[in-house]
Amino acid sequence: MQTIWLSGAEWLAVLRIGLGLWWLESWRHKDKKGWFERGTGIGWAADVAGKHRWSFVKSGFQRVVAPRPKAMAYLVVYAELALGLGLVFGFLTPVALIGGLLLNLLYLVLMIHDWAEQGQNAMMALISLVALLAMSWQTWSLDAAIGLFL
């Protein structure tokens, strides 16, 4: 593979790190006090799920998220932080890529009616898939440094 400036593996690492920075920005801009103390994030998601055109989204939300809103708020917020750190530093990278892909697909289904959100989640899911299948943890990662996932 011919590339300009960096090798193909290094460009994949750039893509992985960029995705990690995207997750970190998602975590950074969240109003943590609102999410954890006032339940704003889960409350917003409950409203979206309640009006969703697909009934399985509403019933799934009622079954899984609604009974434990505080735990789910912490799970979402800290999952985004963990994904970002894992991808930027290349630690447990395949786990972070699969987790991010699943979280983006969940967001994609939840926000099926919002095209702005669709674009972001579709692109993040696509980058996760490419970075996973191309084994982007082989370059510039803690995984490569310690010999994980060779």
Side-chain angles (χ1 to χ4, degrees):
M1 170 191 286
Q2 275 191 315
T3 68
I4 297 172
W5 189 38
L6 300 174
S7 71
E10 289 168 336
W11 280 118
L12 285 166
V14 168
L15 192 64
R16 181 199 81 229
I17 292 165
L19 179 62
L21 292 172
W22 203 343
W23 278 116
L24 288 175
E25 174 55 21
S26 181
W27 173 79
R28 186 200 64 79
H29 84 263
K30 278 191 174 35
D31 173 11
K32 277 83 163 175
K33 194 171 191 171
W35 272 73
F36 301 147
E37 294 177 17
R38 296 185 309 277
T40 56
I42 299 301
W44 168 83
D47 184 56
V48 171
K51 298 174 186 170
H52 206 281
R53 68 177 93 176
W54 297 336
S55 61
F56 76 88
V57 173
K58 181 179 182 178
S59 62
F61 189 92
Q62 290 300 321
R63 201 170 25 259
V64 176
V65 180
R68 48 193 78 77
K70 196 162 195 91
M72 288 297 171
Y74 278 95
L75 180 66
V76 168
V77 171
Y78 286 109
E80 290 182 358
L81 175 62
L83 292 169
L85 291 173
L87 294 172
V88 167
F89 291 106
F91 183 64
L92 300 176
T93 311
V95 175
L97 288 167
I98 291 168
L101 178 61
L102 293 174
L103 193 55
N104 279 125
L105 292 176
L106 180 67
Y107 291 168
L108 196 70
V109 169
L110 182 63
M111 297 302 299
I112 198 73
H113 65 282
D114 185 336
W115 287 105
E117 283 290 321
Q118 291 293 58
Q120 173 180 318
N121 289 304
M123 284 298 98
M124 290 177 81
L126 179 62
I127 293 167
S128 293
L129 186 62
V130 168
L132 179 66
L133 297 178
M135 297 170 50
S136 65
W137 55 88
Q138 296 177 73
T139 303
W140 299 341
S141 73
L142 290 173
D143 290 338
I146 59 179
L148 286 177
F149 310 109
L150 298 177

